[in-house]
Amino acid sequence: MSVSPEATQIGLDILRAGGNAVDAAVAMAFALAVTFPAAGNIGGGGFMMIYDPQSAQVYTVEYRETAPAAATYETLRGVTATSRGHKTVGVPGTVRGLELAHRRFGRLPWADLVRPAVRLAEEGIVVRAPLARSLNAILRHPDVSAEMRRVYGNNGRPWKPGDRLVQPDLAKTLEIIAREGADAFYEGPIAELIVREMKRGGGVLTAQDLARYRAHLRPPIRAVYRGFEIYGPPPPSSGGVVLAEMLHMLDGFDLDRRSRWSAETLHLLAEVMKRAYLDRARYLGDPDFVRIPLQRLLSRDYARSLAQSIRFDRATPAEELGKEILTNREGQHTTHFVVADSTGFAVSNTYTLQDSYGSLVVVRGGGFLLNNEMTDFNWTPGRTDASGNIGTPPNVLEPNKRMLSSQTPVIVLRDRKPYLLTGSPGGRTIINTSLQVTINVLAFQMSLREAVDAPRIHHQWMPDVIVYEGAERIEVVRPALERLGHQLRRVGRIGDAHSVLVDSVHRRFVGEADGRIEGAAAAF
Ligand code: DON
């Protein structure tokens, strides 16, 4: 299940050829770098959750980007949370991450997993309406680099559905990765191209940064909700911890005794979101740099104490909750996919370039985009305000540090076996999308289709607003929520949550693509 029919097909081909879900996921990740350049990538990073049937354990392959050794607020002066360009590039993690997942869990030869993407890049893909729209929109951005225009610009003509996007430089790069492995990207010919590109554009990333980059196998975050085990990625993603806090708080309320679309349920969700996102700002960052009180944050007692402060007669003002860290009182693009196989492996992967098309820098001659993930650090250190600026210490920029993420690929286990796989793009909204798909299935017994389609809300502590997807079911309770003191703002869409439900009794997978962008499910 992914945003791209071609990538989904490649995943399926790999399973048919005897690969497991991890092989399929690696092949899909490379394919998405060709078919979905807004977020599919080799120049970005992410998190892959893997259920291994042999050990019955869930693992996280963490391949988050890292700040270059020379990156400081001083050397990156001028960068803000919305910047693009060479200075916003973090050391990419994707290729090392896919290598680690494959080395540890894969079955087919590495080259077989990269070659389908080589062919897509070489032969070209047919551009459908969503890609045409997305490319035409980004090509109007003032920071698009000359090389990006050459590679994605269609010779100056707007893209139309039916056009062909051929990527010969990317095909060459991927062929080198197929033949020589990840080292070619970090220490070989591709590293050289990246370093040259950085020098040309005034970036601070060096050959040494690439050579020293490592992906990690990290223990995931585990929550228990209604007897299910929910696994999400650990720091440097905030996803697992924030999701676990929210689920643990909700476990104290009989959610299914209320209507899913009552003002009371939506109020409760918003209150839970606020409290967990405040902790995100307070405590979370790169665990190699920051001491995070994980045990306490994940404990039942802590969730209970947070839940006790929720009132049903009024919204708690966000300012009241996080007084001590507020300094100013006035005051997309990622992609997610999932794969499950008949041998019991299950994979839930989210990876990204940060904003749509990342830094807008294409490596000259390499044919691939680099991320602008450096913008995920706190760019107003010392200043946290009502407009949503976060300046808290755990996620301040330091050399060689990983920036805090919200990516939340999720694996839910029932009786120690995969039951639900979900996740989403959407920046800070990601965690709340994963939460809502999860409770729609586990607490409200919705079918997976309903759970994915159901309208979503999002609260991130600051700004103190419930953002919601326009839907009759939410519009009708908006006045009641406003009476409780909530502010609401309607948006077009929140997230894109391709999901799988595993029916282990009937040995059957139910896959549902989220139609909010363009998705494809497939099985055999
Ligand atoms: O890791 C993160 O939290 C962000 N860089 C994700 C960005 C994102 O989802 C943008 N997309 N829609």
Side-chain angles (χ1 to χ4, degrees), residues 206-281:
T206 64
Q208 209 193 3
D209 291 322
L210 286 165
R212 65 184 292 193
Y213 181 86
R214 297 284 176 271
H216 300 298
L217 200 63
R218 293 191 191 263
I221 298 293
R222 173 176 174 272
V224 176
Y225 176 70
R226 294 182 153 239
F228 294 88
E229 294 175 82
I230 290 91
Y231 288 89
S237 178
S238 58
V241 175
V242 173
L243 179 66
E245 283 193 34
M246 295 194 289
L247 286 169
H248 287 161
M249 277 186 256
L250 288 174
D251 218 7
F253 300 90
D254 290 327
L255 264 194
D256 54 343
R257 287 229 322 272
R258 304 160 209 269
S259 146
R260 174 67 177 83
W261 307 107
S262 65
E264 206 184 20
T265 301
L266 296 176
H267 166 73
L268 179 58
L269 287 179
E271 292 300 303
V272 159
M273 290 171 180
K274 235 182 257 182
R275 285 159 176 78
Y277 273 75
L278 167 58
D279 278 355
R280 180 187 189 278

Side-chain angles (χ1 to χ4, degrees), residues 371-415:
N371 68 82
N372 67 329
E373 215 72 62
M374 293 297 286
T375 59
D376 270 357
F377 281 112
N378 292 347
W379 284 96
T380 54
R383 181 158 61 84
T384 298
D385 62 33
S387 65
N389 287 313
I390 306 275
T392 45
N395 190 37
V396 296
L397 164 63
E398 292 176 65
N400 303 313
K401 185 178 179 183
R402 293 234 259 247
M403 59 296 282
L404 185 63
S405 170
S406 298
Q407 291 170 65
T408 318
V410 172
I411 296 184
V412 177
L413 301 188
R414 181 165 72 174
D415 305 329

Side-chain angles (χ1 to χ4, degrees), residues 39 45 47 64-65 237-238 280 332-335 350-356 372-373 375-376 403-407 424-430 493 517:
F47 299 83
R64 181 66 163 165
E65 297 92 326
S237 178
S238 58
R280 180 187 189 278
Q332 160 179 199
H333 229 84
T334 298
T335 192
T350 312
Y351 75 156
T352 188
L353 292 165
Q354 160 57 349
D355 284 313
S356 246
N372 67 329
E373 215 72 62
T375 59
D376 270 357
M403 59 296 282
L404 185 63
S405 170
S406 298
Q407 291 170 65
S424 178
R428 262 186 261 176
T429 68
I430 292 174
R493 71 175 160 79
I517 300 184

Side-chain angles (χ1 to χ4, degrees), residues 12 51 75 122 179 256 290 321 353 375 445 455 467 496 505 522:
L12 198 58
Y51 173 82
T75 58
E122 213 164 53
R179 257 198 334 260
D256 54 343
V290 181
L321 286 172
L353 292 165
T375 59
Q445 271 85 46
V467 174
D496 190 41
V505 179

Side-chain angles (χ1 to χ4, degrees), residues 449-464:
R449 183 72 260 158
E450 289 172 303
V452 168
D453 286 345
R456 299 177 186 137
I457 67 167
H458 167 72
H459 198 303
Q460 59 175 41
W461 175 57
M462 283 291 177
D464 194 355

Side-chain angles (χ1 to χ4, degrees), residues 314 365-366:
R314 70 165 188 128

